[in-house]
Amino acid sequence: MPWRNPNLLQEVLLALGTSVAVVMGLLAKIAHEVKSGERERFFTRRLWLDAPALVVMITIAAGINLYFDLTGWPASAVAAVCGWAGPRSIDLMLLALADRVRGGKK
């Protein structure tokens, strides 16, 4: 019976915790955009475009946490940062890091 497996329960709780942290990071970013004037209001059609990005960021945060074997608060912090940064910001950071490793643009 897989539901009696304590490891499965831990995995589900970890996934829920990561998801909640990413959602909180995304909500904080959207609230900041509303406050700074980048968005007119919180609930717009653009919010629907953030839903696929949310799924991607949950997956990325889970992958980072598994790779570095993070648990607890550090794992939640990584997830919140991923939610705040969003996929485009992560892409820009990775491109900048790749350019730096290669020796810069020529």
Side-chain angles (χ1 to χ4, degrees):
M1 289 182 260
W3 59 86
R4 289 191 180 178
N5 185 355
N7 293 332
L8 178 63
L9 179 62
Q10 289 176 352
E11 292 292 326
V12 169
L13 291 176
L14 178 64
L16 287 174
T18 302
S19 300
V20 168
V22 170
V23 168
M24 288 298 140
L26 183 67
L27 291 177
K29 179 181 180 182
I30 293 171
H32 175 72
E33 288 176 352
V34 170
K35 185 176 180 181
S36 67
E38 292 178 45
R39 290 186 189 216
E40 291 181 20
R41 20 173 227 194
F42 190 84
F43 294 106
T44 61
R45 290 184 183 193
R46 185 176 167 193
L47 191 61
W48 287 106
L49 295 175
D50 291 329
L54 184 67
V55 173
V56 169
M57 295 317 299
I58 290 170
T59 306
I60 290 173
I64 291 170
N65 290 337
L66 284 175
Y67 183 78
F68 289 110
D69 198 26
L70 298 175
T71 59
W73 287 106
S76 296
V78 166
V81 167
C82 284
W84 175 270
R88 182 66 184 142
S89 299
I90 301 276
D91 183 42
L92 290 175
M93 285 185 254
L94 290 176
L95 286 174
L97 180 67
D99 286 339
R100 187 175 214 178
V101 168
R102 289 185 214 136
K105 294 181 180 178
K106 295 181 181 183

